Amino acid sequence: MRVVIAEDLALLRDGLIRLLEAFGFEVVEAVDNGPSLLRALTTHRPDVAVVDVRLPPTFTDEGLRAALEARKEVPGLPVLVLSQHVEQLYARELLSDSTGGIGYLLKDRVSDVKVFVEAVRRVAGGGTALDPDVVAQLLTRHAREEPLQQLTPREREVLGLMAEGRSNAAIAASLFVTEKAISKHTNSIFGKLGLPQSEDDNRRVLAVLAYLGA
Amino acid sequence: MSELLRGYGRRALICFGRAVVQIVLAYAVNLPLFIVTVLSIAFVPLGFGVVLAPVMFQAIRTIANQQRAWAAEWSGVRIPVPYRAEPAGAGVFGRLKWILTDPASWRDLLWTFVNVPVALVLGVLAGGLTLYGLEGVFVAPWLAQVVDYGWGPFWPLDDWGVVGVVGTIVLGAALTAVSIPLGPLFLEAHARFSQSLLAPTREALAERVERLTETRSDAVDASAAELRRIERDLHDGAQARLVALSMNIGLAEEMMKHDPETAQKLLAEAREASGTALTELRDLVRGIHPPVLAERGLDGAVRALALTLPLPVDVHIDLPGRGDAPMESAAYFAVAEMLANVVKHSAARRAWVQIEHGGGRLMMIVGDDGTGGADAAAGSGMRGIERRLAAFDGTMAVTSPVGGPTVVTMELPCALSSPRTSPSSGTG
């Protein structure tokens, strides 16, 4: 799988390259600023891009903007955005065009190597990887609303993992229950929230987010 | 040569335009404003003036501020703004008292009146001389040949024959030539006259120095306390955790050979500790200067903040650009503190934030539909924000009757830079 990496700190950049290569990814280019990121994304058209939000020259949200810009030119280009902090504002911007894989994770998540690599693969496959922090914020924000109050604590837990972008199998694994139990929970959640069912992972997250973000 | 003439012509034209503006302002704006304001003061005992007088004085301030801007721009005469800050949370009578007790209000009023004749005289001198000289060259002598024109610029044209006509042309040309450098001098004289009434008096300056000393010492105290807090948080939090972390890793290294299982457990612990340290650092950074504020400015930061609150917040922000970092930071923390109060104390179901910029001031309003009863004097958070805003000459007003709703209005004088260009169009 071909990857483009954008990270301005050399130490982190090398770490990311080493990590992804160890898991069989091919790093086609690693850049350290916004303009070259945009160029790299539009010329290489990688299977997935791992992008730091804050990049030179402005050291603001250069990376995020470059990624969004590239997705305009290459629709559905899978982008996993890493950030020192997570903001719902940025998550919304990333999810706004709702095509192709999108991820938005705290940089800390890289330290859990397996989970991180799994997230990169999911985004490359057109899925979603949302940081648990963003999802937790979304859930607390709307906890007062009627339909969410009907959920059992277990169902809320499942909804959280679902909103991060995980498949039923992955949710089952992290909660140590069978996949069948999870699909029972998800059906019940969809029922209570009044969401149409769908097999597509990404659409599932979008549906959840659309409900939560309303 | 023609280049030079064009330059002179342009300068004369600009000077003439400015003179006309001053004369028109004096008669069309100053004079009616003066009359209505004096009447509004007379109406104060009747009650009606209580509302009208502050409005009129504000209008005068707007005109006076325009005059200050022109004086600086046209003649390089700087006239500082002398007004006292509006007291926080003032009612109708509070506003009346604030505006009537400010000596600058009365000096403004005097200027509004005296400017009427002064602007006319100086304006006519600044703009009219060139015109009069030109008339002497191009109109009077020639028209006098055909009709009984009477006076040229300097003498009755019919009395002196050809000498009179030629003299008129020569003197008219000379007058025009002299009027071009003279015009700006008359405009400057007018600016100096305005300065004599519109600039702060010595007492006002002393008062301002006193106020600045006070807010500066507040600001210094606050930032010193903030530094101590950051030092303590770093020392007790992240720093201690990192030490424990490196100890764990060192221990794991040792154990790797003969007890790999324990080593693995230690490494897992180490990873967890590093995660906690990172979270602590992140919270600390957010408390000092939220990253999203650096990245997106006040607009994005307040929107992002609103998204994280457990109640719906309607956000209306209209900012044409970004302010400088300390101002943005003060504004952000002011709004954040008010929203935190809404969440903690108000029992509100909805809140709203409105931020806009106009007339060199940033206006921030935070409101909620909660139970009210907020008191700026009682809450340490609100007091802190008030002092923080005061360091920027900003003000805060709270209206919060028991039973609600609560509305906090904050104002911060500031200039905004033009919006930054899209980073993707920049060159790396």
Side-chain angles (χ1 to χ4, degrees):
Chain A
M1 226 178 273
R2 297 162 63 251
V3 194
V4 164
I5 292 175
E7 165 65 61
D8 58 315
L9 289 176
L11 210 59
L12 264 176
R13 188 169 59 239
D14 293 344
L16 277 173
I17 295 172
R18 192 139 37 108
L19 196 153
L20 288 174
E21 281 180 343
F23 279 82
F25 290 88
E26 181 201 345
V27 178
V28 287
E29 193 172 346
V31 299
D32 64 0
N33 65 72
S36 18
L37 169 63
L38 186 59
R39 193 173 22 76
L41 289 181
T42 46
T43 51
H44 294 298
R45 303 191 171 217
D47 296 315
V48 61
V50 178
V51 172
D52 183 9
V53 166
R54 199 186 277 206
L55 288 177
T58 60
F59 286 104
T60 59
D61 53 357
E62 191 89 34
L64 182 71
R65 280 166 196 261
L68 292 174
E69 190 77 12
R71 275 168 69 85
K72 260 186 229 156
E73 225 166 292
V74 189
L77 177 76
V79 177
L80 173 61
V81 171
L82 295 180
S83 174
Q84 214 63 266
H85 64 112
V86 291
E87 301 288 346
Q88 279 190 52
L89 191 69
Y90 295 173
R92 275 158 200 253
E93 286 174 5
L94 276 165
L95 289 162
S96 61
D97 66 356
S98 71
T99 53
I102 276 296
Y104 181 46
L105 293 180
L106 265 181
K107 274 190 184 166
D108 314 10
R109 310 290 171 211
V110 178
S111 67
D112 196 337
V113 176
K114 257 194 234 148
V115 172
F116 173 68
V117 170
E118 209 256 317
V120 179
R121 289 222 172 94
R122 201 158 69 226
V123 171
T128 310
L130 269 195
D131 199 275
D133 271 13
V134 174
V135 175
Q137 278 179 14
L138 290 170
L139 285 173
T140 44
R141 176 179 166 78
H142 294 273
R144 288 186 188 184
E145 281 169 35
E146 269 301 299
L148 266 185
Q149 281 178 343
Q150 296 169 14
L151 300 183
T152 63
R154 188 56 150 187
E155 283 168 351
R156 219 173 280 184
E157 213 173 341
V158 173
L159 177 64
L161 290 166
M162 212 159 75
E164 285 174 29
R166 298 183 195 225
S167 65
N168 278 3
I171 297 173
S174 69
L175 294 181
F176 304 107
V177 293
T178 62
E179 212 178 318
K180 219 169 138 196
I182 297 299
S183 72
K184 222 179 77 194
H185 283 312
T186 52
N187 280 337
S188 144
I189 293 168
F190 285 142
K192 284 180 184 172
L193 300 186
L195 294 171
Q197 276 197 54
S198 153
E199 283 302 301
D200 183 357
D201 276 357
N202 193 28
R203 272 180 52 200
R204 208 163 83 141
V205 174
L206 287 176
V208 174
L209 283 177
Y211 168 73
L212 292 172
Chain B
M1 187 63 195
S2 73
E3 194 82 347
L4 199 70
L5 273 182
R6 212 176 303 147
Y8 277 132
R10 216 168 56 88
R11 271 166 52 198
L13 207 62
I14 289 174
C15 188
F16 180 73
R18 288 172 177 173
V20 169
V21 166
Q22 291 289 12
I23 295 169
V24 169
L25 177 88
Y27 280 85
V29 182
N30 276 19
L31 194 54
L33 209 53
F34 176 77
I35 294 167
V36 179
T37 308
V38 169
L39 283 178
S40 78
I41 298 167
F43 285 149
V44 167
L46 300 176
F48 178 56
V50 175
V51 181
L52 186 62
V55 174
M56 295 315 298
F57 273 109
Q58 281 292 4
I60 289 183
R61 287 183 178 192
T62 310
I63 300 302
N65 279 333
Q66 184 56 60
Q67 187 66 54
R68 290 183 178 98
W70 279 334
E73 197 182 327
W74 297 350
S75 312
V77 177
R78 279 196 57 238
I79 310 178
V81 177
Y83 308 122
R84 290 177 186 166
E86 189 177 345
V92 180
F93 285 99
R95 277 181 62 80
L96 184 70
K97 184 175 166 234
W98 158 62
I99 214 143
L100 291 188
T101 54
D102 192 339
S105 295
W106 301 100
R107 291 165 58 82
D108 275 6
L109 189 64
L110 184 61
W111 170 79
T112 313
F113 181 68
V114 181
N115 187 44
V116 174
V118 173
L120 178 68
V121 171
L122 290 174
V124 165
L125 286 174
L129 279 187
T130 319
L131 215 61
Y132 200 49
L134 289 176
E135 190 246 14
V137 179
F138 293 109
V139 183
W142 317 113
L143 221 55
Q145 311 296 319
V146 203
V147 293
D148 184 15
Y149 191 69
W151 281 64
F154 304 103
W155 48 74
L157 276 170
D158 299 337
D159 290 7
W160 301 74
V162 181
V163 179
V165 172
V166 173
T168 296
I169 293 173
V170 172
L171 270 172
L175 185 60
T176 307
V178 174
S179 76
I180 290 168
L182 272 184
L185 287 183
F186 286 117
L187 277 183
E188 191 184 329
H190 183 247
R192 297 254 173 238
F193 151 71
S194 297
Q195 189 185 35
S196 70
L197 283 172
L198 294 182
T201 56
R202 195 166 281 276
E203 294 94 88
L205 280 175
E207 206 173 287
R208 171 134 183 84
V209 168
E210 198 174 307
R211 188 174 154 68
L212 283 177
T213 312
E214 199 177 299
T215 56
R216 186 191 60 176
S217 97
D218 275 357
V220 170
D221 284 354
S223 75
E226 182 73 0
L227 278 179
R228 273 199 303 281
R229 183 186 67 79
I230 294 165
E231 186 270 340
R232 206 170 46 237
D233 283 0
L234 278 176
H235 186 263
D236 299 346
Q239 209 173 343
R241 272 181 212 290
L242 288 173
V243 171
L245 178 71
S246 64
M247 267 166 58
N248 264 4
I249 293 175
L251 204 55
E253 248 173 3
E254 288 299 312
M255 295 209 151
M256 204 67 101
K257 281 177 221 126
H258 47 272
D259 190 356
E261 212 167 292
T262 314
Q264 201 171 10
K265 214 188 285 169
L266 281 172
L267 283 175
E269 257 175 49
R271 186 154 62 77
E272 210 168 295
S274 82
T276 317
L278 281 171
T279 310
E280 278 180 11
L281 282 174
R282 189 156 37 239
D283 290 346
L284 192 63
V285 166
R286 209 183 276 274
I288 300 167
H289 192 86
V292 65
L293 183 60
E295 288 160 10
R296 287 288 174 90
L298 189 58
D299 188 325
V302 171
R303 282 181 206 282
L305 175 70
L307 287 174
T308 62
L309 295 179
L311 78 169
V313 182
D314 296 319
V315 182
H316 296 282
I317 301 180
D318 185 15
L319 295 177
R322 287 188 64 167
D324 54 8
M327 186 286 297
E328 267 192 345
S329 181
Y332 172 81
F333 280 107
V335 173
E337 174 71 22
M338 295 314 141
L339 284 173
N341 284 344
V342 170
V343 173
K344 271 189 275 179
H345 308 300
S346 74
R349 297 162 60 85
R350 295 196 79 81
W352 50 271
V353 177
Q354 195 175 340
I355 301 179
E356 50 196 63
H357 187 268
R361 295 181 84 78
L362 184 73
M363 172 87 91
M364 301 170 285
I365 309 173
V366 179
D368 67 64
D369 62 355
T371 52
D375 184 1
S380 65
M382 276 194 172
R383 274 288 297 143
I385 293 302
E386 202 174 358
R387 286 160 62 159
R388 192 163 176 165
L389 291 177
F392 292 85
D393 274 344
T395 56
M396 181 175 101
V398 182
T399 52
S400 183
V402 175
T406 301
V407 177
V408 181
T409 308
M410 294 169 285
E411 267 189 65
L412 211 53
C414 74
L416 296 182
S417 64
S418 57
R420 79 192 160 112
T421 51
S422 167
S424 55
S425 66
T427 50

